[in-house]
């Protein structure tokens, strides 16, 4: 904890569960117009510890969603930016095993905390969590289908051998009205309490990537 990045103390306070709630914009809910995503990041008690805002152009949101490039700025309750998530425009198809998704997480902004790298697999969504030196730390493996009709969808966080499950990223089913009329998302991240705080920050970035890749309303880009 001696070299803890400023603002990450909330992730280091015996925190093993992180809740991410997407806020619904009134214009988007009424007109179906895609606006920049905004999120609240909460602890297991439901207390907001961070808020996040996606930055990109209207062109990206309309024509490239859900593959759009973005920068998500995560700030603490005092408005101080503590984490920055950067996603370039890349491919995500199992038919093209090159140029797949790669996400960079910085904390504090300008200092690399780690990466989320998509791995090619013909059947399952797979990702590798890397530290600031691009050394593999953890794996994330999703289910065969991510439709999540009437149930949560779990992406398992595993050790590098892919045998031991140590946590998960869950997309919570929000009910019929929420799923049909808005694309708001509620996620939960469960990780070991003693996981490196920088890797916890990278896991937040992985959650945003999973949301955009698998749960973004495909009609938004039309």
């Amino acid at each position: 904890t001696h070299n803890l990045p400023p603002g990450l103390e909330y992730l280091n306070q015996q925190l093993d569960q992180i809740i991410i709630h997407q806020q619904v914009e009134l214009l988007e809910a009424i007109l179906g117009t895609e606006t920049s995503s905004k999120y609240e990041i909460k602890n297991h008690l439901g207390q907001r510890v961070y808020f996040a805002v996606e930055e990109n152009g209207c062109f990206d949101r309309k024509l490239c969603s859900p593959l759009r490039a973005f920068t998500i700025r995560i700030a603490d309750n005092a408005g101080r930016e503590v984490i920055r998530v950067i996603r370039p425009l890349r491919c995500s198809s199992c038919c093209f095993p090159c140029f797949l998704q790669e996400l960079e997480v910085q904390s504090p902004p300008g200092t690399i905390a780690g990466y989320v790298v998509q791995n090619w697999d013909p059947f399952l969504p797979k990702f590798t969590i890397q530290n600031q030196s691009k050394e593999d730390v953890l794996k994330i493996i999703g289910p065969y289908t991510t439709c999540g009709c009437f149930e949560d969808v779990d992406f398992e966080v595993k050790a590098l051998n892919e045998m031991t499950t140590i946590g998960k990223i869950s997309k919570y089913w929000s009910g019929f009205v929420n799923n049909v009329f808005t694309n708001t998302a509620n996620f939960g991240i469960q990780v070991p309490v003693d996981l490196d705080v920088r890797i916890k920050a990278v896991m937040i970035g992985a959650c945003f990537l999973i949301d955009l890749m698998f749960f973004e309303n495909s009609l938004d880009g039309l």
Side-chain angles (χ1 to χ4, degrees):
T1 60
H2 296 293
N3 297 316
L4 189 67
L8 291 193
E9 59 271 10
Y10 293 110
L11 299 183
N12 202 44
Q13 294 174 346
Q14 302 299 303
L15 187 66
D16 62 353
Q17 185 175 18
I18 303 166
I19 306 298
I20 299 180
H21 170 67
Q22 184 179 5
Q23 298 178 320
V24 181
E25 292 294 318
L26 183 60
L27 184 63
E28 183 174 352
I30 295 175
L31 302 179
T33 301
E34 178 74 7
T35 60
S36 296
S37 298
K38 297 178 177 64
Y39 303 85
E40 288 187 322
I41 301 174
K42 305 176 181 180
N43 61 22
H44 68 287
L45 298 176
Q47 301 167 326
R48 189 181 78 175
V49 293
Y50 302 116
F51 60 90
V53 178
E54 175 190 354
E55 292 184 354
N56 52 29
C58 180
F59 176 86
D60 291 328
R61 292 194 298 273
K62 285 296 181 184
L63 298 184
C64 302
S65 180
L67 294 177
R68 63 182 182 261
F70 63 67
T71 296
I72 293 180
R73 300 181 186 274
I74 302 174
D76 60 17
N77 289 325
R80 174 181 55 174
E81 185 182 0
V82 295
I83 303 171
R84 184 176 298 170
V85 180
I86 302 172
R87 178 202 193 189
L89 183 65
R90 298 177 71 96
C91 299
S92 66
S93 172
C94 64
C95 300
F96 300 96
C98 59
F99 209 62
L100 297 179
Q101 294 295 305
E102 181 172 320
L103 195 79
E104 178 181 295
V105 179
Q106 302 176 358
S107 184
T111 301
I112 302 297
Y115 303 87
V116 184
V117 179
Q118 183 184 12
N119 306 130
W120 183 83
D121 189 277
F123 304 110
L124 296 174
K126 288 189 176 183
F127 302 88
T128 298
I129 301 295
Q130 299 178 331
N131 63 18
Q132 66 270 28
S133 302
K134 284 210 164 187
E135 298 167 335
D136 294 352
V137 177
L138 296 170
K139 295 283 187 176
I140 299 176
I141 301 178
Y144 288 101
T145 176
T146 58
C147 67
C149 298
F150 309 109
E151 63 182 2
D152 297 345
V153 179
D154 293 332
F155 284 68
E156 294 186 336
V157 180
K158 292 180 174 289
L160 291 179
N161 60 15
E162 298 189 7
M163 300 297 294
T164 306
T165 300
I166 65 167
K168 62 183 178 179
I169 296 176
S170 300
K171 166 67 166 62
Y172 298 136
W173 183 67
S174 303
F176 174 79
V177 174
N178 209 27
N179 280 339
V180 172
F181 295 104
T182 73
N183 64 342
T184 183
N186 291 284
F187 284 86
I189 304 172
Q190 295 182 25
V191 293
V193 171
D194 59 353
L195 185 66
D196 184 277
V197 65
R198 294 171 181 81
I199 300 302
K200 289 182 181 180
V202 177
M203 293 297 296
I204 293 176
C207 185
F208 287 133
L209 180 61
I210 288 170
D211 179 21
L212 267 293
M213 287 184 65
F214 301 103
F215 302 106
E216 181 79 1
N217 190 337
S218 61
L219 295 179
D220 290 338
L222 298 181

